[in-house]
Amino acid sequence: MSAPPDLAGSLARHARVALQFVRIGLIRKTQFRFEFAVQVLMDCTFYATHVLTFEILFAHTESIAGWTPPEVRVFLGFLFCADAYYMTFLGQAWHFGRELKDGALDPLRVRPGSPVFLYFFQRFGLEGATNGVIALAYLGWALVQAPGVTGALPWLLVPWALALACVGRTVLTVLLSINEFYLVNSDLARFWEEALGASSDNPLDVFGRRVRAFLILALPIGFLAHLPAALVLGRMGLLAGLAHTAWIAGFGWLVTRWWRAGFRRYESALG
């Protein structure tokens, strides 16, 4: 069964726009090679810091909140992949508060496509894609080393888990930006990114049940690494994985509608 003509045309149009975003991003980075190298180095330092932190901790304990060293390495692999996805496709989100204040969102009113897609995915980052290769390599190594990853099933679940991480990262980014529509010039999106970042750096089992539920159902931080790792490692059943997938899809739809409602409040610098 083929897709409805309107849906197929919309998907094709957005795909063409995405390819143009990638092309522009590649051209930009070829002109700023030093900046590209520095950003790759900074992200690699970020990864190395996280790995060393947990390796030092595991030198003094056998597990953290029930997670063994091989399991935490898988967790970190998904965390790095989610971060690389953000740096590759969603880097424009850092400029949202300022551009909203400056009235620079007028083109989103007339461009043929979803304003959420057109804004947040407009800045393709080659450095993020490069770090994505590094993150995937680390994740693959961690999965090979994990004793619980045996047989074909865990490997077949990896694409599903990566999709959860990417969708969760997208929904979280759009959700945090909604504050700016109601409190212009607050930079709350950037503040919450920094404030909540530490919550995603650890398996959520370090928190209590209520906090853990909040970080999965209300703020989808758990989708960045905790749930993907739990799915592949067998710490979460397939039915639970399907339930979380349905939740993030529905929640993402609601967040998109909420963002578009906020966008209707937007007044450009031209009045």
Side-chain angles (χ1 to χ4, degrees):
M1 181 180 296
S2 60
D6 291 345
L7 177 59
S10 177
L11 291 175
R13 184 168 61 252
H14 283 78
R16 290 193 298 269
V17 173
L19 288 176
Q20 290 301 313
F21 287 160
V22 172
R23 183 181 68 84
I24 294 171
L26 292 175
I27 293 174
R28 183 174 62 248
K29 287 305 175 183
T30 58
Q31 297 174 343
F32 299 97
R33 298 174 186 175
F34 179 75
E35 177 190 5
F36 166 78
V38 170
Q39 290 178 332
V40 171
L41 179 61
M42 289 176 60
D43 279 347
C44 288
T45 303
F46 168 82
Y47 299 159
T49 301
H50 279 67
V51 171
L52 289 175
T53 298
F54 278 102
E55 292 299 331
I56 292 173
L57 290 175
F58 281 120
H60 302 280
T61 184
E62 295 181 355
S63 66
I64 297 176
W67 288 68
T68 63
E71 291 176 329
V72 169
R73 293 182 189 117
V74 174
F75 167 87
L76 288 176
F78 281 108
L79 180 66
F80 298 159
C81 287
D83 176 76
Y85 167 80
Y86 176 82
M87 296 300 295
T88 302
F89 296 106
L90 300 172
Q92 186 66 24
W94 282 98
H95 305 280
F96 181 71
R98 187 189 72 246
E99 293 188 340
L100 177 66
K101 180 187 67 174
D102 295 342
L105 304 185
D106 289 325
L108 297 182
R109 295 182 181 275
V110 296
R111 287 178 180 173
S114 165
V116 174
F117 172 80
L118 292 174
Y119 184 81
F120 288 98
F121 287 86
Q122 66 179 281
R123 183 183 291 266
F124 175 81
L126 181 59
E127 68 281 1
T130 303
N131 287 315
V133 175
I134 299 172
L136 285 171
Y138 180 85
L139 175 61
W141 172 81
L143 289 169
V144 170
Q145 300 296 318
V149 180
T150 57
L153 181 59
W155 293 97
L156 294 175
L157 294 176
V158 170
W160 180 7
L162 287 172
L164 280 178
C166 293
V167 172
R169 177 70 263 190
T170 303
V171 173
L172 181 63
T173 300
V174 177
L175 175 63
L176 295 180
S177 71
I178 292 174
N179 294 290
E180 303 293 346
F181 287 120
Y182 301 93
L183 297 171
V184 177
N185 201 27
S186 65
D187 280 332
L188 280 178
R190 186 175 299 186
F191 169 78
W192 284 117
E193 283 282 356
E194 296 290 344
L196 298 173
S199 301
S200 65
D201 292 346
N202 305 280
L204 295 189
D205 290 328
V206 302
F207 301 107
R209 179 174 59 86
R210 293 181 180 178
V211 175
R212 189 163 61 246
F214 178 77
L215 293 177
I216 292 175
L217 301 178
L219 287 175
I221 289 175
F223 285 87
L224 305 187
H226 178 84
L227 293 179
L231 179 65
V232 172
L233 293 170
R235 299 176 64 94
M236 178 175 68
L238 295 181
L239 289 178
L242 289 172
H244 285 301
T245 301
W247 168 257
I248 195 62
F251 187 61
W253 180 82
L254 290 174
V255 167
T256 301
R257 299 287 295 182
W258 190 6
W259 193 93
R260 292 177 69 116
F263 184 60
R264 286 194 290 269
R265 295 167 51 95
Y266 163 72
E267 296 181 359
S268 74
L270 300 178

